[in-house]
Amino acid sequence: LCCCEYVDRRGERNHLAACCCDCQDLDEGCERWLTGKSLPSGTLERIVDTVADRVRVPWFAGAVKINISLVPPLVLLPVFLHVAALHFLLGLLILTSLPVVVLWYYYLTHRRKERTLFFLSLGLFSLGYMYYVFLQEVVPRGHVEYSQVVALTCGLILMLAALSRAKKDPGYLPISSSSKRSLHQLLSNKSDKGSSNGVTTSGAASSRDVNGEAKGYCRMSAEEPEGVKKDWCTKCQLVRPARAGHCRLCGRCVRRLDHHCVWINSCVGEWNHQAFILALSFFMLTAVYGITLTLHTICKGRTPFVALFYCPGAYSDYSSALSFTCVWYCAIVTTGMGYILLIQLLNISYNVTEREARLALRDNTGRRLLGGLVIDTGQYNRGFLCNWGHFLSLGSSPPQRSAEDIV
């Protein structure tokens, strides 16, 4: 293959110059839209799959496919923020609509049971772009000291290091060879179809209920020393230990499964839960520190909280307006991440996972505490200090594989 050729999702050799050719589904869809007719079932999905398959860039030994979920954050975020800096009303409109769009996209992907890199790329690019604006628009004003820039940079580096650790193995349970072959075949078939987000959904997601638990699990009579029953996973073909769960998106069983986090595009389990909390904590500290430095620069003489809502000179020039808009964008994101961190800290204090809280609500076996912020199942709660001691010891010694783990 030359740098502009590629093998498409149908296995045929194609060229980037022919990206607008053979668009029968698109032509038919446009014609039906103009004539007011409804689209046949599956037409829109085929159009999206075709577009996603043809979004490629020239590369050695063939054109490389671009994950289409990476494009919106890289392109739209800078555009929206620069437009929002033009006027106060534009900023109010855009900063109000952005969270709504993100929540809508989360609902869409959650309903379709799809993994996506959109949220991870949005988070990473937001960090990089906010740091760039800080260096280009805030630091040159001369009100930020060199040591403060170094501290902010160190916080960003530590957050990225913790995030990198959180992206690693969350504690996947081993699966049998036959299950591995079946999983690989299902992933390959899904990849050939060309998901609109450039991601795959394993066959484990085909048998599940609304609470995120895969169907087909049978309660076993064997009990753990604590009296907790084990589960048999028909998808992974193994007996999963207590507190383990099957992720419908990853298609794997995870030790002490907490939840599947879209912001890291991975599960949060026994082996990466500490790194996940650490990444959130570093993000909160770095974001609040950056917001404070920026507001002290563009809104002198006011406390950060007051300056966030009342900064008369924010739109006096475009540089200040862009900085103030980015501050508000950071404040919105930080508020959302702060809520996630709060829920996580409360769950750790009561030694309950998100998955266990969800199941307790479904089965009406848990107690709502602190206004419903936490669900206490009472099953593993041993007191505040013991609960935190248990959490800090997670992943310290990876459990040995027993004969029960593999079938």
Side-chain angles (χ1 to χ4, degrees):
L1 298 177
C2 76
C3 63
C4 293
E5 291 181 319
Y6 63 94
V7 178
D8 61 17
R9 61 192 181 96
R10 296 192 297 266
E12 300 176 359
R13 190 166 177 161
N14 215 323
H15 197 279
L16 289 179
C19 63
C20 295
C21 302
D22 190 20
C23 301
Q24 182 177 356
D25 290 328
L26 180 60
D27 294 339
E28 181 183 356
C30 292
E31 182 179 355
R32 285 180 169 270
W33 178 70
L34 292 174
T35 56
K37 298 180 181 179
S38 60
L39 291 176
S41 178
T43 301
L44 185 59
E45 287 76 7
R46 290 194 300 270
I47 293 174
V48 174
D49 291 341
T50 302
V51 172
D53 187 55
R54 296 181 182 182
V55 178
R56 298 173 180 263
V57 294
W59 198 251
F60 303 102
V64 178
K65 183 179 178 180
I66 299 177
N67 194 316
I68 199 171
S69 63
L70 300 176
V71 177
L74 300 179
V75 176
L76 297 181
L77 181 62
V79 173
F80 284 160
L81 291 179
H82 279 275
V83 172
L86 295 176
H87 195 272
F88 169 74
L89 294 179
L90 286 174
L92 182 63
L93 176 63
I94 290 177
L95 293 175
T96 304
S97 60
L98 275 179
V100 176
V101 173
V102 172
L103 290 175
W104 170 81
Y105 188 75
Y106 169 77
Y107 169 77
L108 181 65
T109 54
H110 183 75
R111 186 182 62 180
R112 297 178 63 177
K113 311 302 185 292
E114 293 178 347
R115 296 181 65 185
T116 174
L117 292 174
F118 172 83
F119 299 97
L120 178 61
S121 61
L122 176 62
L124 293 177
F125 185 67
S126 296
L127 284 173
Y129 190 71
M130 296 303 105
Y131 185 68
Y132 169 78
V133 172
F134 178 80
L135 294 180
Q136 291 293 319
E137 306 294 343
V138 180
V139 175
R141 294 172 179 262
H143 298 282
V144 179
E145 298 179 0
Y146 176 77
S147 59
Q148 294 174 324
V149 177
V150 172
L152 185 68
T153 305
C154 290
L156 185 62
I157 293 174
L158 290 174
M159 192 278 296
L160 292 176
L163 181 62
S164 176
R165 175 60 187 87
K167 283 284 296 174
K168 294 183 179 179
D169 185 3
Y172 291 122
L173 291 171
I175 57 178
S176 63
S177 300
S178 58
S179 297
K180 287 182 179 179
R181 289 193 296 268
S182 176
L183 179 63
H184 178 72
Q185 182 179 4
L186 288 169
L187 291 175
S188 301
N189 293 338
K190 186 68 177 180
S191 177
D192 292 339
K193 294 179 181 179
S195 174
S196 60
N197 288 309
V199 293
T200 58
T201 305
S202 67
S206 62
S207 178
R208 53 182 173 263
D209 61 18
V210 296
N211 291 286
E213 288 295 299
K215 294 179 181 178
Y217 298 119
C218 302
R219 288 287 179 182
M220 304 292 290
S221 59
E223 294 186 352
E224 298 244 324
E226 299 178 356
V228 181
K229 294 182 178 180
K230 295 182 177 180
D231 288 329
W232 168 258
C233 178
T234 58
K235 298 300 181 182
C236 297
Q237 295 294 299
L238 54 81
V239 177
R240 58 187 188 187
R243 310 193 76 175
H246 189 92
C247 177
R248 59 182 180 179
L249 301 180
C250 296
R252 296 285 299 275
C253 284
V254 181
R255 296 183 183 275
R256 196 184 176 276
L257 175 63
D258 189 86
H259 69 287
H260 183 95
C261 181
V262 296
W263 293 105
I264 65 174
N265 195 32
S266 178
C267 289
V268 176
E270 182 175 316
W271 293 357
N272 69 339
H273 201 169
Q274 294 176 353
F276 178 73
I277 296 297
L278 200 60
L280 281 176
S281 301
F282 278 130
F283 171 81
M284 291 295 298
L285 294 175
T286 305
V288 171
Y289 188 58
I291 290 173
T292 302
L293 291 177
T294 304
L295 290 177
H296 276 316
T297 301
I298 62 177
C299 300
K300 303 173 187 176
R302 290 181 174 84
T303 61
F305 183 78
V306 174
L308 191 61
F309 295 94
Y310 181 70
C311 185
Y315 285 85
S316 59
D317 60 274
Y318 187 76
S319 176
S320 298
L322 179 61
S323 301
F324 188 72
T325 302
C326 291
V327 162
W328 257 105
Y329 175 74
C330 287
I332 294 173
V333 176
T334 303
T335 301
M337 293 301 173
Y339 176 77
I340 295 176
L341 179 60
L342 175 62
I343 297 299
Q344 286 289 315
L345 295 178
L346 290 176
N347 285 344
I348 294 171
S349 300
Y350 286 90
N351 200 0
V352 63
T353 63
E354 284 289 328
R355 172 179 173 269
E356 292 167 351
R358 184 173 61 248
L359 294 178
L361 285 178
R362 184 195 66 180
D363 301 333
N364 197 23
T365 57
R367 295 185 303 142
R368 290 180 177 270
L369 302 176
L370 303 177
L373 289 177
V374 64
I375 307 298
D376 181 21
T377 62
Q379 192 172 12
Y380 301 98
N381 189 358
R382 299 296 181 267
F384 181 83
L385 294 179
C386 291
N387 292 340
W388 272 97
H390 170 73
F391 173 76
L392 295 177
S393 64
L394 289 178
S396 56
S397 56
Q400 300 293 327
R401 295 171 61 181
S402 63
E404 287 182 305
D405 290 335
I406 305 176
V407 177

